[in-house]
């Protein structure tokens, strides 16, 4: 079979570089799932049930957790995270204020010397740099929203 080529050799290099950026690799060099382009359109809408089905069907889920960045603005990120029962995200913090909104399941968040049991529809807000960890009591999914200070209006 023949392949039709259009554009200059420089265009081919640019396309190849962009494709490399959109595809991450496993340790052995095999490609992982392609990443969507940055989610920075002025208005974004998501079907979370569909997003969760997709996360649960990807091989990365076998590790116990999988995530997808839904929104990527200069001052705001929204990440959809799926955790298998018993999986944990050890102590960590964000430089920005965060919220954790449970879409499905049951997670435990430990922060500021307290323990929070969050079920479907539960929402927890954390100020900047609050050390916390997350454990899935059941297969769970939540939206992690991070807002960075001093970035608004850029």
């Amino acid at each position: 079979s023949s392949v039709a080529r259009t554009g200059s050799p420089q265009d081919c290099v640019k396309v190849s570089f962009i494709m490399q950026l959109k595809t991450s690799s496993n340790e052995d060099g095999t490609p992982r799932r392609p990443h969507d382009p940055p989610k920075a359109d002025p208005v974004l809408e998501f079907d979370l049930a569909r997003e969760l089905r997709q996360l649960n069907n990807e091989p990365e889920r076998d590790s116990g957790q999988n995530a997808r960045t839904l929104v990527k603005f200069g001052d705001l990120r929204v990440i959809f995270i799926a955790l298998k029962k018993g999986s944990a995200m050890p102590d960590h913090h964000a430089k920005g204020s965060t919220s954790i909104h449970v879409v499905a399941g049951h997670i435990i968040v430990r922060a500021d010397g307290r323990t929070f049991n969050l079920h479907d529809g539960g929402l927890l807000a954390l100020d900047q740099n609050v050390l916390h960890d997350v454990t899935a009591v059941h297969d769970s999914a939540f939206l992690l929203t991070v807002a960075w200070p001093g970035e608004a209006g850029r």
Side-chain angles (χ1 to χ4, degrees):
S1 71
S2 65
V3 176
R5 295 181 186 240
T6 60
S8 69
Q10 293 85 1
D11 290 338
C12 292
V13 170
K14 288 177 190 173
V15 169
S16 174
F17 178 71
I18 290 168
M19 292 307 293
Q20 289 172 12
L21 287 177
K22 289 184 179 180
T23 306
S24 61
S25 297
N26 293 316
E27 289 178 11
D28 65 359
T30 59
R32 289 178 59 195
R33 71 166 188 248
H35 293 276
D36 294 331
K39 304 289 188 182
D41 289 339
V43 177
L44 299 167
E45 180 182 31
F46 299 94
D47 177 343
L48 295 179
R50 184 181 61 80
E51 295 287 344
L52 181 57
R53 281 191 304 275
Q54 187 169 349
L55 283 176
N56 285 334
N57 288 327
E58 292 176 347
E60 289 81 7
R61 177 77 162 132
D62 293 339
S63 72
Q65 71 180 56
N66 198 5
R68 176 181 313 263
T69 300
L70 300 178
V71 178
K72 187 174 182 181
F73 295 136
D75 61 345
L76 179 74
R77 296 287 184 283
V78 178
I79 302 108
F80 197 31
I81 301 173
L83 294 177
K84 279 184 159 182
K85 177 181 179 177
S87 295
M89 299 172 68
D91 279 341
H92 60 282
H93 70 277
K95 292 181 182 178
S97 299
T98 62
S99 71
I100 299 169
H101 178 193
V102 178
V103 174
H106 174 195
I107 62 173
I108 294 175
V109 180
R110 283 176 283 284
D112 200 34
R114 297 170 59 191
T115 300
F116 302 90
N117 276 285
L118 301 175
H119 298 268
D120 297 9
L123 176 68
L124 180 67
L126 304 171
D127 202 357
Q128 303 169 41
N129 297 311
V130 172
L131 191 66
H132 62 283
D133 67 70
V134 180
T135 302
V137 177
H138 301 290
D139 285 355
S140 302
F142 59 94
L143 289 168
L144 172 67
T145 303
V146 182
W148 285 275
E151 298 293 322
R154 284 190 184 179

